[in-house]
Amino acid sequence: MRTFRKIGLIFTLLSIPSFLSAQVSTTDYERAEQFLQFNLEKHIYNRWVEPIWQESGNAFIYSVTTRKGVEYFSVIPSTKSKTPAFDQAKLATLLTDSLKVEVKPFELPIARVAIVGKDEVLFWAKGKQWIYNTSNNLLQSKQNESTLTNKESLSPDGNWIAFIKEGNFFLREKRTGTESQLTSDGTPENGYGHNLDWDFTKNDSRGEPNDYIVEAYWTSDSKKLIVPRFDRRNVRRLQLYKVDVEGYQSEIVSYERGLAGDTVLTMVDFYLFDVNKKKAIRVDLPSNPAFLGTGFYTFDGCPKAYHVKYSRGYKTRELFEVDLETGETRSVLVESYPKTFVDLYTETLDVNYDKNEFVWRSEQDGWCHLYRYDLSIGKIKNQITKGDFYVYGIEHFDKKNGTIWFMAGGVDKRKDPYQKYLYSITLDGKNQKLLTPEDATHDIRMSPDKKIFVDNYSSCTDPNVAVVRQMKDGKQIMTVEQTDIDDLVKKGWKPAETFSMLADDGKTMRCGMIIKPTNFDPTKKYPVIDGTYTGPHTIRAPKTFSRSVLNMDLSLAELGFVVINIDGRGSAYRSKEFHDISYARLGYGLVDHVYVINKLAEKHSYIDVDRVGIYGHSAGGYDATRALLLFPEFYKVGVSSAGDHDHRMEKVWWPELYQGFPVDTQYHNQSNVTNASKLKGHLMIVTGDLDNNVNPSATYKLAGELTKANKDFELIVLPNDNHGTCYWNKYFIRKRWDFFVKNLLGLEHPREYKIK
């Protein structure tokens, strides 16, 4: 008996799963910390060129972080020259004397740098404007021009300042300071030019007033301007509780926010102001909810203005022409998609008034393309771009010669359909030319004279290169910068593995990437974390080098996970059919996520499909929770931050665009709140208590339903954090690590590790 018991005891001890005593070490957490975005970017140099063009010609200046620090360079493309913009050591000495603090040459406290003369550089430092003469090494402070407040709008010719005060609209002549009050019947809650600013919060506990900013649309000749009048009387305001760190009592702050299905919303009318006559005429447009659009287009030499009006539910948009003398309007074009929606992100308009035509972007043939229309009758003259590819918009329209430069993805079927390239084409749809041929995503900045452009291009595996090219043919003039990633490689970084795969329909291609830890061992099995964001207005998988490296995925992988990004059906920048599949069923892309991860596991033995987690923020936070509710047998662990868990609680435009209007049973079906009782896995939900994008009440309401259903979950509320800071909160980053390590990896984690 004794022998039997001893053997049984030994057997029991040997049968204890190893993970109960195993632990992810502090060293592992330290390595993960080094792969956080704000640490990795310190080891990447010369990675981007943002040109500040001279007013005349096409020379430019730019700054870039090098191994020395921040350096400033001047580029003259005509001579293919790149030189230091000025002697930084000399300028540092002069600034040290002027500011009475030590200034280091490659840590200059300057901003808004511009070349203003052959030998002069203008910049701001410590709240002052300065002129530095590089030839004689003289530094002078400049008399600062009074800067505009957010309640003021400067005319294009610089002679007039339009401003708002207590609901009314005023003009001030800049030269003389003479003011004219143009309206007298406005109030702060029914005011002229009092913008619909959903980001502004006011402290109700302290009785703060609303602080609206100006919205006005000038004509290019500065003689007229169109001003919206916002009627926000009785509209909804959402509340937040702010922890007063100076005392012991919370305070209430609020902000203007319509929710999906609301019947009382901020409404807008428009008024046309004549600068010389100091008179206003109401524009002949019907009152409309302000969230459906308040903008106007004006064009050089064009006596008309143009406005795009969306219907509630976004099934229709209508282009109106506004007479700038009478305020009368004419309907030019109506575009409708009665079964789904017209995507407001495809709105592009460029009018060539002299030739009685305009260019319009539309998905009417099933892909996003450019069309030429007759302005007088609103009929198509011809389709400009055509094919199974997506046009992102117009970069330049040479109206004299009838040539358009545009960005597009998917033209070359051999390349990633989401990579952006620059093309030119003539208005008749002929002579389409590729101007940026490298297999990469291209980001361009055109010179004022439209003869050259700076092209920053990279892929998720290849670092950024910045070159200067000719507009006419894309011919490369010179290389300006090549990203230095030597230190990144020394840290063990390797490019992510990209993949493409057909959906279960056998015809629709989806794209994604796999991120592995730097100490990856192909003989082991790794749990999977799905980094998600299925919001239909964008994509998740990175297409540039910076986005592929500077994110949260890499640090998670370092803890012993394989992180996967997938852009499933229902996301943006593909065909209308591809996009529409998520209409009225937000989060549909998760179906593709499950399918793809299972297929990847069949191909790669290192993927453990029995241990899959998911994390996301905002719309991705909705996904992370919904994944556990919709696929409880597949997703075992989820971390959901700032999730819009019920779209009836979301800002009015986003769900009404993608989920539909009026609010119906689909909102109920898609809600994480109403499906909370289905939870099986391990869920952490997180919110910042000052989130004025996705109100914390969505997370609180989900927590309430999970509690009613007697479900185990973790709730973290981050005091004084808003929508963005919640995502970057170091405490939350560490808690997310802990949660996945414990519940998905099955190991213990270091206690209270502090991210430095």
Side-chain angles (χ1 to χ4, degrees):
M1 291 293 291
R2 289 178 182 175
T3 303
F4 176 77
R5 288 175 181 170
K6 190 175 292 186
I7 293 173
L9 178 60
I10 293 172
F11 178 80
T12 303
L13 289 172
L14 292 174
S15 299
I16 296 175
S18 61
F19 68 76
L20 290 179
S21 57
Q23 179 175 341
V24 171
S25 70
T26 300
T27 301
D28 296 321
Y29 268 51
E30 289 172 346
R31 188 176 65 255
E33 181 177 352
Q34 290 305 305
F35 277 80
L36 286 168
Q37 172 172 337
F38 37 78
N39 289 321
L40 284 183
E41 64 184 348
K42 300 173 186 176
H43 302 283
I44 305 174
Y45 308 100
N46 307 78
R47 69 184 174 97
W48 191 264
V49 172
E50 188 67 42
I52 303 170
W53 301 97
Q54 280 185 310
E55 291 185 8
S56 60
N58 51 35
F60 63 89
I61 190 173
Y62 72 96
S63 63
V64 65
T65 300
T66 69
R67 290 179 178 274
K68 292 180 180 179
V70 178
E71 293 193 70
Y72 295 82
F73 294 99
S74 176
V75 177
I76 303 175
S78 60
T79 60
K80 301 182 181 180
S81 69
K82 169 189 165 183
T83 58
F86 44 83
D87 189 318
Q88 295 187 209
K90 289 181 178 179
L91 179 55
T93 299
L94 294 173
L95 282 171
T96 296
D97 292 339
S98 299
L99 300 175
K100 308 303 179 188
V101 295
E102 182 185 4
V103 175
K104 297 180 180 180
F106 299 104
E107 298 177 12
L108 296 173
I110 66 178
R112 294 158 63 183
V113 181
I115 303 172
V116 293
K118 181 181 178 182
D119 301 310
E120 290 185 330
V121 177
L122 173 72
F123 62 86
W124 285 80
K126 301 298 182 182
K128 289 184 179 181
Q129 268 189 318
W130 304 79
I131 291 283
Y132 177 47
N133 190 300
T134 59
S135 62
N136 59 23
N137 195 38
L138 285 178
L139 179 66
Q140 293 178 309
S141 63
K142 191 174 182 288
Q143 182 66 36
N144 290 352
E145 291 189 17
S146 57
T147 56
L148 296 179
T149 71
N150 61 7
K151 295 180 175 57
E152 298 174 316
S153 174
L154 182 66
S155 63
D157 63 10
N159 294 330
W160 298 94
I161 296 174
F163 65 99
I164 54 174
K165 185 164 51 176
E166 295 299 318
N168 284 302
F169 205 73
F170 297 75
L171 273 181
R172 180 189 306 121
E173 190 174 8
K174 190 175 180 182
R175 180 178 59 85
T176 65
T178 303
E179 293 186 357
S180 303
Q181 183 169 348
L182 304 188
T183 68
S184 57
D185 61 339
T187 66
E189 303 310 303
N190 188 17
Y192 296 89
H194 281 43
N195 179 272
L196 183 68
D197 183 6
W198 282 356
D199 292 325
F200 171 73
T201 59
K202 69 185 184 75
N203 194 311
D204 294 331
S205 297
R206 298 182 182 181
E208 285 182 357
N210 289 314
D211 188 21
Y212 301 116
I213 63 177
V214 68
E215 182 174 347
Y217 300 91
W218 291 91
T219 57
S220 58
D221 61 9
S222 301
K223 293 180 180 179
K224 305 276 175 55
L225 68 165
I226 297 176
V227 178
R229 185 178 187 181
F230 296 91
D231 185 355
R232 46 178 41 92
R233 292 170 291 185
N234 303 315
V235 300
R236 182 194 299 274
R237 294 189 69 85
L238 299 186
Q239 285 74 42
L240 300 165
Y241 287 97
K242 180 179 181 181
V243 177
D244 184 1
V245 296
E246 298 177 357
Y248 301 96
Q249 185 173 347
S250 296
E251 296 178 337
I252 298 174
V253 298
S254 69
Y255 58 102
E256 180 177 355
R257 182 59 53 87
L259 301 181
D262 275 0
T263 56
V264 179
L265 294 160
T266 297
M267 302 296 289
V268 66
D269 295 302
F270 303 100
Y271 290 81
L272 173 65
F273 289 86
D274 187 300
V275 172
N276 293 324
K277 296 178 181 178
K278 308 295 189 296
K279 292 176 62 178
I281 303 170
R282 188 181 181 281
V283 177
D284 184 25
L285 284 170
S287 297
N288 207 39
F291 80 89
L292 292 172
T294 58
F296 285 81
Y297 295 88
T298 59
F299 302 93
D300 290 344
C302 178
K304 313 289 184 180
Y306 298 87
H307 172 70
V308 179
K309 176 182 177 292
Y310 290 84
S311 66
R312 193 85 184 262
Y314 295 93
K315 294 188 180 300
T316 299
R317 65 180 170 194
E318 186 169 7
L319 174 63
F320 286 93
E321 183 181 76
V322 181
D323 189 301
L324 291 173
E325 295 299 326
T326 66
E328 295 178 350
T329 62
R330 175 177 70 90
S331 176
V332 178
L333 169 70
V334 178
E335 184 176 8
S336 297
Y337 296 89
K339 293 184 178 180
T340 56
F341 64 100
V342 54
D343 190 354
L344 63 87
Y345 287 100
T346 65
E347 181 180 311
T348 295
L349 172 69
D350 208 325
V351 173
N352 191 349
Y353 192 78
D354 291 342
K355 294 188 177 180
N356 192 40
E357 60 189 24
F358 66 95
V359 177
W360 181 258
R361 191 158 58 111
S362 169
E363 294 182 292
Q364 59 191 269
D365 81 339
W367 291 84
C368 191
H369 282 299
L370 300 176
Y371 293 79
R372 177 164 59 157
Y373 277 80
D374 185 302
L375 183 60
S376 60
I377 59 175
K379 297 296 182 183
I380 294 176
K381 284 187 171 183
N382 64 276
Q383 184 171 346
I384 301 169
T385 59
K386 185 179 295 185
D388 294 350
F389 61 90
Y390 187 96
V391 174
Y392 287 89
I394 296 174
E395 297 298 322
H396 176 54
F397 182 10
D398 182 344
K399 297 175 183 177
K400 180 179 178 181
N401 296 309
T403 302
I404 290 174
W405 284 259
F406 66 94
M407 300 297 291
V411 177
D412 188 337
K413 303 310 173 191
R414 298 167 299 176
K415 297 180 179 180
D416 187 319
Y418 296 105
Q419 289 179 336
K420 297 181 182 179
Y421 298 86
L422 179 67
Y423 297 84
S424 64
I425 195 170
T426 50
L427 274 173
D428 58 7
K430 298 178 181 179
N431 305 307
Q432 182 169 305
K433 296 178 185 177
L434 171 63
L435 305 178
T436 54
E438 294 82 5
D439 189 357
T441 289
H442 296 259
D443 185 292
I444 70 166
R445 299 289 187 272
M446 291 185 177
S447 62
D449 63 7
K450 308 303 180 187
K451 292 182 179 179
I452 65 171
F453 62 93
V454 172
D455 176 16
N456 286 279
Y457 65 87
S458 70
S459 70
C460 57
T461 58
D462 299 310
N464 193 70
V465 178
V467 301
V468 179
R469 299 183 188 275
Q470 294 181 163
M471 282 280 289
K472 62 180 180 180
D473 55 12
K475 181 180 178 181
Q476 183 173 316
I477 298 171
M478 62 183 294
T479 299
V480 183
E481 292 287 353
Q482 289 183 302
T483 305
D484 176 355
I485 62 167
D486 287 352
D487 289 359
L488 190 65
V489 174
K490 289 176 183 176
K491 290 176 70 67
W493 171 87
K494 294 181 178 64
E497 177 185 336
T498 60
F499 66 84
S500 58
M501 184 184 299
L502 290 175
D504 54 10
D505 62 5
K507 64 178 183 177
T508 308
M509 188 64 69
R510 285 85 36 81
C511 301
M513 64 189 302
I514 303 171
I515 301 103
K516 303 171 186 174
T518 56
N519 58 2
F520 176 75
D521 181 348
T523 66
K524 293 183 178 180
K525 272 194 174 293
Y526 289 84
V528 173
I529 296 179
D530 182 353
T532 183
Y533 190 98
T534 66
H537 59 286
T538 189
I539 59 174
R540 173 62 161 81
K543 300 301 170 183
T544 65
F545 188 78
S546 288
R547 278 203 61 207
S548 72
V549 175
L550 305 180
N551 55 51
M552 291 293 182
D553 296 339
L554 273 65
S555 60
L556 270 172
E558 287 305 304
L559 296 174
F561 303 101
V562 167
V563 181
I564 296 178
N565 293 168
I566 303 158
D567 288 310
R569 289 167 294 179
S571 54
Y573 315 136
R574 300 284 290 277
S575 69
K576 179 72 172 157
E577 180 184 12
F578 186 98
H579 204 185
D580 283 350
I581 200 165
S582 63
Y583 180 70
R585 45 183 181 176
L586 287 169
Y588 176 86
L590 292 169
V591 172
D592 283 342
H593 288 217
V594 173
Y595 179 81
V596 167
I597 293 172
N598 275 315
K599 287 296 181 181
L600 289 173
E602 293 176 7
K603 181 179 180 182
H604 301 295
S605 61
Y606 61 81
I607 290 178
D608 187 350
V609 79
D610 292 324
R611 291 185 293 168
V612 180
I614 186 169
Y615 87 104
H617 183 76
S618 195
Y622 166 79
D623 293 343
T625 298
R626 182 151 182 80
L628 268 66
L629 303 178
L630 196 63
F631 302 100
E633 304 306 321
F634 185 78
Y635 289 104
K636 307 300 194 303
V637 184
V639 177
S640 164
S641 54
D644 45 351
H645 297 291
D646 191 313
H647 295 106
R648 292 168 291 193
M649 305 173 70
E650 181 58 280
K651 49 187 172 290
V652 57
W653 70 268
W654 201 83
E656 290 194 7
L657 173 62
Y658 295 121
Q659 189 66 19
F661 177 82
V663 173
D664 57 15
T665 55
Q666 278 299 92
Y667 279 77
H668 179 88
N669 296 339
Q670 298 298 115
S671 169
N672 290 337
V673 174
T674 55
N675 287 283
S677 62
K678 298 177 182 178
L679 179 66
K680 290 186 178 180
H682 300 277
L683 176 64
M684 172 188 284
I685 52 177
V686 184
T687 183
D689 64 358
L690 291 182
D691 190 337
N692 63 345
N693 184 344
V694 177
N695 193 278
S697 59
T699 298
Y700 299 155
K701 196 172 184 70
L702 174 61
E705 291 303 307
L706 291 169
T707 302
K708 290 178 185 176
N710 195 36
K711 296 296 181 179
D712 289 328
F713 68 99
E714 288 195 21
L715 168 65
I716 296 178
V717 179
L718 300 168
N720 295 317
D721 267 13
N722 59 32
H723 194 69
T725 57
C726 166
Y727 186 71
W728 291 107
N729 185 290
K730 292 179 182 178
Y731 175 80
F732 166 47
I733 293 172
R734 192 265 293 176
K735 291 294 287 184
R736 180 168 55 208
W737 291 354
D738 292 349
F739 199 71
F740 280 124
V741 166
K742 179 181 179 180
N743 296 299
L744 191 61
L745 203 57
L747 301 176
E748 292 298 319
H749 54 76
R751 178 175 170 79
E752 297 180 352
Y753 179 85
K754 186 172 183 179
I755 295 174
K756 305 175 186 63

